[in-house]
Amino acid sequence: MAKPEGKTEFFYNDNGLVAIGSPVKLQILNLLREEPRSFDEIVKFTAKAKSTISVHLNNLRSCELVEENIDPEDRRRKVYSLTSRYMGCSQEPFIERYRSLLEKAPAYGNDRFCFAEILLHALYFGFEAYGIDNAPIIKTIGSDLGRSISPIFESETFEELLREIGNFLEYQGKCRVTTLVNIPALQIEDDFKARSIPVIGKPFCTLREGIIEGILRGKFEKEYRVTEIECYGSGHEHCLFKITI
């Protein structure tokens, strides 16, 4: 894992958003995003003195980003875990895609559906243009929305729910959805995205990714994870959302 330097990352807890710029604190937080770790593991990973790590951990605990517990298998050992959610980071501003989108906007001004899509894309590329990677918080919002609407879905099995989600997305998004139960995944073809999303070298549809994940989690109360592995933004001719537990 590369050491994060020269950027600020944002974490959320019950008190609100907390901005962290210290490279060592970011190393600790990003290590704990993977899984809880012992004090000695954190020291080894950061290659810092124990006294330095102790100071940083105490500060992160005071910000309520991290909690300390006793290892039940060895009461002499302390284990640290994340009590906050990663929400994004600062990045080098990239304005070209935002400008390109703004140039296209007038052509869609009289089409309510397309202009609504332009608004969503403007938020994504606008944050990017002003130096913020907001993909994590967009997915979180999508997941919150998915959970809130999960009661309207009537399916009782995973396969049935996957097809029902596909029908829902087709109706709401004017797209074509193919349900791939064996993978499992949802493949979405979207004419508007095919015309309007530039190839940016990575998946783009984090909001839809979160919505699908939220519906699955809200309906079955299991830790489903939805990952967009193919996208118009990565040069494919569809979007493919793979689902894992």
Side-chain angles (χ1 to χ4, degrees), residues 87 121 138 242:
M87 288 295 179
H121 296 177
I138 291 294
K242 186 176 180 180

Side-chain angles (χ1 to χ4, degrees), residues 21 57 72 78 81 107-108 121 133 153-154 179 203 210 213 223 227:
L57 282 171
K78 295 177 180 179
S81 58
Y108 297 105
H121 296 177
D133 174 11
F153 292 84
E154 300 177 350
T179 304
E213 187 172 280
E223 287 300 305
T227 306

Side-chain angles (χ1 to χ4, degrees), residues 1 23 29 48 74 76 91 94 96 110-111 151 154 163-164 197 208 230-231 237:
M1 181 186 297
L29 289 168
K48 300 294 182 182
D74 184 352
R76 297 169 299 177
Q91 63 178 21
F94 190 84
E96 283 77 5
N110 294 321
D111 185 319
E154 300 177 350
R163 293 188 178 92
E164 192 178 359
I197 292 183
R208 188 174 277 171
E230 296 177 1
C231 180
E237 296 182 353

